[in-house]
Amino acid sequence: MPTIIHIQETTSTNDYLQQKIKNELLEEGSVVVCDFQTQGRGAANNKWESEKNKNLLFSMLLYPDFVEIKKQFIISQVVSLGLVDYLNTITSGFTVKWPNDIYWQDKKIAGILIENNLRNNFLSESIIGIGLNINQMKFLSDAPNPVSLKNIMGFDYDLGIVLTDVQKSIFARYLQLLQGGTSRIQKDYKKAMYRNEGFYLYEDKNGVFLAKIHQVKEEGFLVLETENKEKRQYAFKEVLFKIL
């Protein structure tokens, strides 16, 4: 059975799990969950705010040694969809903001930080860090648009139950990948994307422009199409979604 390791405090559950697997063989799907992170990390060295004992802060271990390095974005798609699948059992309106932020309407409810270990041309381990806002009501950082399940629904959730359900949901998508469901996962990801239809404002190094999402490539690049049919391809952090 996958192990659940509960700790009160750590710098980062990703860091803790990375150290753990150096000395111990853990079953796939094992999780490290903590009450508080002193140095919780988001993508690109962003900080993740979380009030103690109010939200889910955890890291999950996978062994996707069949995934080529150049195709590693599929793990991000699997995890993002697993989270959205779970949240959509509670209420509607959840999407994936490329590459892997989870949104409710125009507000961010979860962030994902995936750190892959490599062996030859394949992944060996994926350490999947997730911060999911559950019971926190007020956010004090300068993050522009946070939201929690309690903000949305109006009542508290049992963190242990939510963790179990999220684990199952992510692992269900991972099993889909193991069974050859890459194409289905990619289609579902496109369908679940924030702003997946219509033209919206974006900003790159050249300024603000109007575009729609054309596709997400297998390698994870976002391709936008402007009003004059120009295709523009972006890696992570090369383009901003302008949220008014």
Side-chain angles (χ1 to χ4, degrees):
M1 290 289 291
T3 301
I4 297 180
I5 302 168
H6 180 256
I7 52 180
Q8 291 186 336
E9 184 175 303
T10 186
T11 54
S12 156
T13 55
N14 268 29
D15 293 346
Y16 186 98
L17 189 51
Q18 283 280 18
Q19 288 300 315
K20 190 78 172 174
I21 63 175
K22 288 180 180 179
N23 304 307
E24 184 178 343
L25 181 62
L26 297 178
E27 186 170 341
E28 192 164 47
S30 292
V31 161
V32 172
V33 59
C34 76
D35 300 329
F36 183 70
Q37 290 184 135
T38 58
Q39 298 176 35
R41 292 182 287 125
N45 295 317
N46 292 332
K47 299 296 183 183
W48 183 261
E49 177 194 357
S50 181
E51 188 178 344
K52 189 172 184 179
N53 294 316
K54 292 292 187 180
N55 304 317
L56 271 181
L57 305 168
F58 70 98
S59 295
M60 176 183 284
L61 174 66
L62 296 178
Y63 296 116
D65 54 7
F66 56 94
V67 176
E68 295 178 73
I69 293 173
K70 64 182 180 180
K71 298 180 179 180
Q72 62 185 285
F73 186 67
I74 192 66
I75 301 299
S76 184
Q77 292 174 308
V78 162
V79 177
S80 299
L81 285 173
L83 271 174
V84 168
D85 289 344
Y86 163 73
L87 291 167
N88 280 334
T89 66
I90 296 173
T91 190
S92 60
F94 295 98
T95 57
V96 184
K97 178 175 166 287
W98 176 86
N100 56 17
D101 283 338
I102 309 303
Y103 267 47
W104 177 76
Q105 298 182 2
D106 290 323
K107 296 179 180 290
K108 182 175 177 178
I109 192 168
I112 300 167
L113 176 64
I114 299 176
E115 296 176 313
N116 293 313
N117 299 332
L118 313 176
R119 184 176 296 116
N120 299 322
N121 294 318
F122 292 84
L123 306 186
S124 54
E125 299 94 15
S126 287
I127 307 294
I128 298 156
I130 295 174
L132 177 58
N133 296 332
I134 305 293
N135 295 324
Q136 186 166 341
M137 291 295 289
K138 294 181 180 180
F139 295 85
L140 304 178
S141 75
D142 58 1
N145 56 348
V147 72
S148 70
L149 274 181
K150 187 172 182 178
N151 288 147
I152 298 167
M153 302 301 293
F155 48 83
D156 286 319
Y157 287 81
D158 184 300
L159 297 182
I161 293 173
V162 174
L163 176 62
T164 298
D165 290 344
V166 169
Q167 271 185 286
K168 290 177 181 177
S169 188
I170 292 173
F171 215 75
R173 284 290 185 173
Y174 183 61
L175 288 175
Q176 186 179 29
L177 177 63
L178 285 168
Q179 294 164 359
T182 299
S183 178
R184 180 75 264 167
I185 289 166
Q186 291 169 336
K187 288 178 181 177
D188 288 350
Y189 179 87
K190 176 64 165 62
K191 185 177 179 181
M193 287 184 74
Y194 176 71
R195 295 183 173 177
N196 68 340
E197 293 182 357
F199 285 85
Y200 294 89
L201 290 175
Y202 296 87
E203 184 176 4
D204 63 13
K205 63 182 180 180
N206 298 312
V208 177
F209 61 98
L210 199 62
K212 67 178 181 179
I213 294 174
H214 176 66
Q215 71 174 125
V216 177
K217 291 193 171 181
E218 187 176 48
E219 302 86 354
F221 295 111
L222 176 68
V223 181
L224 298 176
E225 181 180 326
T226 66
E227 288 183 295
N228 62 4
K229 306 297 184 182
E230 176 192 1
K231 305 293 193 306
R232 300 184 184 182
Q233 178 174 295
Y234 298 97
F236 182 47
K237 290 294 184 182
E238 290 183 347
V239 66
L240 296 175
F241 291 64
K242 297 293 287 185
I243 301 172
L244 302 178

